[in-house]
Amino acid sequence: MIIKRLAVFVAALFLFACSDEPSITADSQEAASDAKAVLAQASASDGKALYIACQACHGPKGQGNRALNAPSLVNQSPWYLKRQMLAFMEGRRGAHPEDTFGQQMAAIAKTLPDQAAVDALVAYIDSLSGHTPERTVKGDTKKGEDYYTMVCGSCHGPKAEGNELLDSPALAGVDDWYLVRQFELFRKGIRGADDKYGRQMVMMAPALPTDEDVTNVVSYIQSLAEK
């Protein structure tokens, strides 16, 4: 019975992500509760089993799905994925009323029982093969390179590979449309207000003052992933 309800929960997540104005119903809350029970019964070392709550949106191979507003999970550093999952679970991300998609992830992340489950889930995602994301943002890569070198490279690395010592995640290989969205959230203060790491990006956001600047930089980052 619980497994059937988990299937209903995964289907609900699919519909929830498709909606521009998602809502939490009594049925979805009950399904989420049952999903949490199933996840709690799963072995903390079984990341593949835990991933069932993720694949409806992020895909069976972590490849993401833009139509569902779900970014790729591969090509990202495990330490950063863990930090973001914990931020969603603990209410440090996805709490802002204007962060619709962040609220979705927060609700899903809270179905995981504990940090051991997060570790197992991240380890499983890290085992999935990476891929070069499709280019959806087109800008001036030369201007983007200049801006990236001046503004971003010192933290995120010359090849946008990230730097854990500076708390800076990889950017190359992350969906370009997702990077644009997240930068906009930082610029508006919707993301980062309750997260000491996110606040760093909030402070840096004015360094790219226009949408064109952001497009150019993201276009350049995408070119690094394609090399």
Side-chain angles (χ1 to χ4, degrees), residues 153-170:
S154 59
C155 289
H156 291 280
K159 297 181 180 180
E161 71 276 21
N163 187 333
E164 185 176 3
L165 293 177
L166 297 178
D167 300 307
S168 301

Side-chain angles (χ1 to χ4, degrees), residues 49-113:
L50 296 169
Y51 187 72
I52 189 172
C54 313
Q55 68 180 22
C57 293
H58 292 281
K61 297 181 179 179
Q63 74 273 23
N65 188 331
R66 187 182 184 187
L68 299 181
N69 301 294
S72 169
L73 299 177
V74 295
N75 299 332
Q76 187 51 270
S77 306
W79 63 266
Y80 183 73
L81 289 178
K82 177 179 177 177
R83 192 170 79 191
Q84 294 308 300
M85 285 297 296
L86 292 175
F88 281 122
M89 289 175 69
E90 296 167 1
R92 291 180 284 108
R93 184 175 173 189
H96 195 286
E98 294 182 45
D99 187 6
T100 302
F101 304 119
Q103 291 177 43
Q104 295 172 11
M105 262 306 304
I108 296 166
K110 289 173 182 176
T111 64
L112 291 167

Side-chain angles (χ1 to χ4, degrees), residues 132-205:
T132 301
E134 178 184 359
R135 177 182 288 271
T136 66
V137 175
K138 296 181 180 180
D140 187 321
T141 56
K142 181 62 178 85
K143 290 182 179 179
E145 180 179 9
D146 293 340
Y147 255 121
Y148 181 86
T149 301
M150 291 186 297
V151 177
C152 316
S154 59
C155 289
H156 291 280
K159 297 181 180 180
E161 71 276 21
N163 187 333
E164 185 176 3
L165 293 177
L166 297 178
D167 300 307
S168 301
L171 300 177
V174 178
D175 294 290
D176 55 7
W177 58 267
Y178 181 74
L179 291 177
V180 170
R181 177 196 292 164
Q182 295 310 300
F183 194 88
E184 181 66 16
L185 293 179
F186 283 125
R187 187 159 59 182
K188 292 180 177 179
I190 295 174
R191 179 179 172 186
D194 301 314
D195 178 7
K196 67 177 182 179
Y197 303 109
R199 283 197 292 271
Q200 298 174 10
M201 272 302 301
V202 173
M203 290 187 293
M204 289 300 300

Side-chain angles (χ1 to χ4, degrees), residues 12-28:
L13 293 184
F14 184 89
L15 295 174
F16 186 66
C18 287
S19 172
D20 291 331
E21 297 181 357
S23 60
I24 304 294
T25 65
D27 288 342
S28 64

Side-chain angles (χ1 to χ4, degrees), residues 115-137:
Q115 185 169 321
V118 174
D119 289 338
L121 179 59
V122 169
Y124 175 71
I125 293 171
D126 190 45
S127 74
L128 300 173
S129 299
H131 73 290
T132 301
E134 178 184 359
R135 177 182 288 271
T136 66
V137 175

Side-chain angles (χ1 to χ4, degrees), residues 28-41:
S28 64
Q29 287 178 326
E30 182 180 3
S33 178
D34 288 337
K36 186 173 182 178
V38 171
L39 292 173
Q41 292 171 15

